[in-house]
Amino acid sequence: MLRPTILLVDDDDILRNRLTRAFSSRGFDVYAAKTKEDAVAQAEEAQPDRAVLDLKMPETSGIEVLKDLLKVSPVTQAVILTGYGSITNAVEAVRLGAVNYLTKPADVDEILAAFGNQEAATPDTNCQSYNPQSLAEAEWEHIHRVLNDCGGNLSEAARLLDIPRRTLQRKLKKLAP
């Protein structure tokens, strides 16, 4: 009996390895790639059933990987996984052929649910799963993304956010929305 196959494409070694172990334990043959070139080469050879693609990578984007992936393996269902969620990116990914779009952090069960059973999905189910992000959540994510990009340097993050350092410190002491 053939095991289902999945291609994981993410530049984050820790996340890629964690997902590889988790998918393997759920019965998948896993192909993991760090770069677009490696992903396309593996997809061409393996023709995976599914793919999980990181949106933001140093050399390219998950959207570009998706385009090339579907050229060499048109039957592969892909989910875009990102820490930088936006409606524009989600629409673009789905327009190009992704079956879904998830924001990080997402566990294996959420990723598998994102693939879902396309025939069994009803419009009612899709409407219930849509929960728009609040302004407070968007601000919280943006602050942490900028802080992460600055390597944890509060002064630099405050300068980039154009807010006083003390204001940034107060916002960080609050619990996430």
Side-chain angles (χ1 to χ4, degrees):
M1 183 165 154
L2 292 176
R3 290 168 42 126
T5 55
I6 192 162
L7 172 67
L8 300 176
V9 184
D10 199 311
D11 60 309
D12 182 346
D13 294 332
I14 295 170
L15 177 64
R16 192 178 60 252
N17 292 335
R18 184 178 62 87
L19 288 176
T20 298
R21 285 191 308 273
F23 276 112
S24 292
S25 71
R26 284 173 176 75
F28 284 85
D29 283 336
V30 181
Y31 300 90
K34 187 173 186 170
T35 66
K36 173 182 165 183
E37 293 76 22
D38 191 22
V40 172
Q42 287 191 48
E44 194 168 25
E45 183 180 322
Q47 297 290 309
D49 303 318
R50 298 174 180 175
V52 178
L53 312 173
D54 185 22
L55 179 68
K56 191 170 183 178
M57 295 185 282
E59 301 292 323
T60 189
S61 75
I63 300 291
E64 295 303 315
V65 175
L66 177 65
K67 289 176 188 176
D68 289 351
L69 170 70
L70 292 177
K71 286 179 188 173
V72 299
S73 181
V75 297
T76 301
Q77 292 183 333
V79 168
I80 301 289
L81 186 64
T82 183
Y84 303 89
S86 78
I87 292 174
T88 306
N89 290 337
V91 169
E92 178 71 5
V94 171
R95 187 183 66 77
L96 292 171
V99 295
N100 215 329
Y101 184 93
L102 289 174
T103 55
K104 292 179 184 176
D107 64 20
V108 173
D109 294 326
E110 291 171 326
I111 294 170
L112 288 173
F115 283 105
N117 184 351
Q118 303 304 317
E119 299 82 31
T122 62
D124 224 16
T125 306
N126 291 338
C127 290
Q128 289 176 354
S129 67
Y130 177 68
N131 292 324
Q133 187 177 37
S134 73
L135 185 57
E137 290 170 331
E139 178 189 38
W140 179 260
E141 282 185 17
H142 179 66
I143 287 172
H144 278 81
R145 187 170 35 246
V146 170
L147 187 60
N148 186 41
D149 290 346
C150 294
N153 184 328
L154 285 174
S155 297
E156 179 68 12
R159 187 185 64 74
L160 289 174
L161 291 167
D162 197 28
I163 61 175
R165 179 186 159 104
R166 289 183 53 100
T167 301
L168 177 58
Q169 287 174 313
R170 281 194 300 273
K171 287 181 180 283
L172 290 171
K173 284 187 180 184
K174 290 183 180 178
L175 294 177

